[in-house]
Amino acid sequence: MRFDEIVIRTERLDVPALAAGDGPIVVCWHGFPDHPASFGPLAERLVAAGRRVVAPFLRGHHTSTVDAMPFGDGLTLAADAAAVNAALSGEPLDVIGHDIGAGVAGRLAATRPDLVRRVITMSVPPPATLRRIFDEPEQQQRFFYLFLFQVPGVAEELLNDKLISYLWRTWSPGLEVPAHVTEMYADPAIRANALKLYRANFDRSLHDPALAGLAPLAEKPAEIPMLVLAGADDGCITPDNYAGAATGLAPGSRVEVVAGGGHFLQLDRPDEVAALALDWFR
């Protein structure tokens, strides 16, 4: 998929993004360890169906924003997403979020439903139910990297090509890490910002105090129905973790387990995801 790189000028930040196609906009938010270009196979199918795909870089994950990340909390990313939607259109937009981007999309829908038309999240349960997965020792083991990233010095040393390759291969069996991901995380500053996202889960000094008032709203079920996609073969968050997802979703929402899909559904099963997305957006 051939993307153009654009800059979305918002009230919060000039957000670099990859974009392709013409028509109604679908905003796609990436996760870790990933890059907007990984939406390429899915974008190709959405563009062929008459949509414009805009895939922003998370704050701090592009050379132009690498020094613009004092905070790493989910509300910061959701506020960025709200600013992006407002800058792109005067109408609510369709949003897809994968991995960390799923949390971005879910919190955006919960805090600014006026900016969102339809929402799809992939590979992570909704924010309102996500905490429960930490109750299972098996899932804690799969989350070893999350706890590893809290250790200063050790995390910086071990977040390298070898670990990233391991995560990709175990999260989506048979899938090798793309070159664009390896190139992104070769930058020590971007690796440091990725660690900041994970450390903000435990370190409240990395939460923007100006957004604290949104926290109770952000963790409640969004008013907008969501399509939640899980990979049947996801080696990061297994499908059984979605069993209680309905309690964190608005009426009319759906949870779909994609057969043969790993964690990186946009690459594993782009045909199936595109078909589900286009149907949901209709």
Side-chain angles (χ1 to χ4, degrees), residues 2-253:
R2 183 186 176 280
F3 284 110
D4 296 319
E5 185 160 336
I6 64 171
V7 176
I8 306 164
R9 306 201 182 279
T10 82
E11 59 185 15
R12 289 176 55 82
L13 184 74
D14 287 348
V15 180
L18 303 183
D22 295 299
I25 295 172
V26 183
V27 183
C28 299
W29 288 96
H30 71 91
F32 169 87
D34 208 357
H35 184 289
S38 294
F39 282 108
L42 177 59
E44 184 176 1
R45 290 151 176 81
L46 297 179
V47 167
R51 305 302 298 259
R52 176 167 173 77
V53 173
V54 177
F57 287 80
L58 291 173
R59 177 186 288 258
H61 286 65
H62 186 277
T63 53
S64 68
T65 64
V66 76
D67 296 324
M69 198 173 174
F71 306 107
D73 57 303
L75 287 175
T76 288
L77 300 183
D80 289 346
V84 164
N85 276 25
L88 287 174
S89 175
E91 301 293 330
L93 297 178
D94 295 325
V95 178
I96 298 175
H98 173 256
D99 189 78
I100 288 173
V104 174
R107 291 182 178 92
L108 169 63
T111 57
R112 291 299 307 270
D114 57 307
L115 295 174
V116 181
R117 179 178 172 273
R118 298 286 263 176
V119 181
I120 299 173
T121 64
M122 300 193 293
S123 305
V124 174
T129 59
L130 182 59
R131 295 176 190 170
R132 299 174 192 171
I133 69 176
F134 289 92
D135 296 336
E136 299 297 329
E138 294 86 356
Q139 185 59 50
Q140 291 178 21
Q141 185 177 28
R142 287 188 287 270
F143 277 166
F144 77 93
Y145 64 96
L146 190 155
F147 304 111
L148 172 67
F149 288 170
Q150 307 309 311
V151 186
V154 174
E156 284 78 2
E157 182 70 22
L158 294 182
L159 178 50
N160 53 31
D161 289 351
K162 190 172 183 178
L163 176 60
I164 290 171
S165 179
Y166 172 80
L167 294 178
W168 271 74
R169 286 185 284 106
T170 55
W171 290 0
S172 277
L175 194 64
E176 294 296 328
V177 59
H180 55 254
V181 172
T182 301
E183 291 166 6
M184 171 190 277
Y185 289 95
D187 186 336
I190 288 177
R191 292 199 302 270
N193 285 336
L195 291 175
K196 189 174 290 186
L197 294 178
Y198 284 93
R199 288 171 175 168
N201 290 324
F202 302 97
D203 183 353
R204 297 199 65 82
S205 71
L206 294 175
H207 291 214
D208 186 348
L211 300 174
L214 294 175
L217 184 61
E219 302 309 316
K220 291 181 179 178
E223 298 175 358
I224 298 172
M226 294 169 56
L227 174 62
V228 177
L229 302 182
D233 300 326
D234 191 335
C236 178
I237 302 178
T238 51
D240 53 293
N241 286 293
Y242 294 78
T247 62
L249 299 172
S253 300

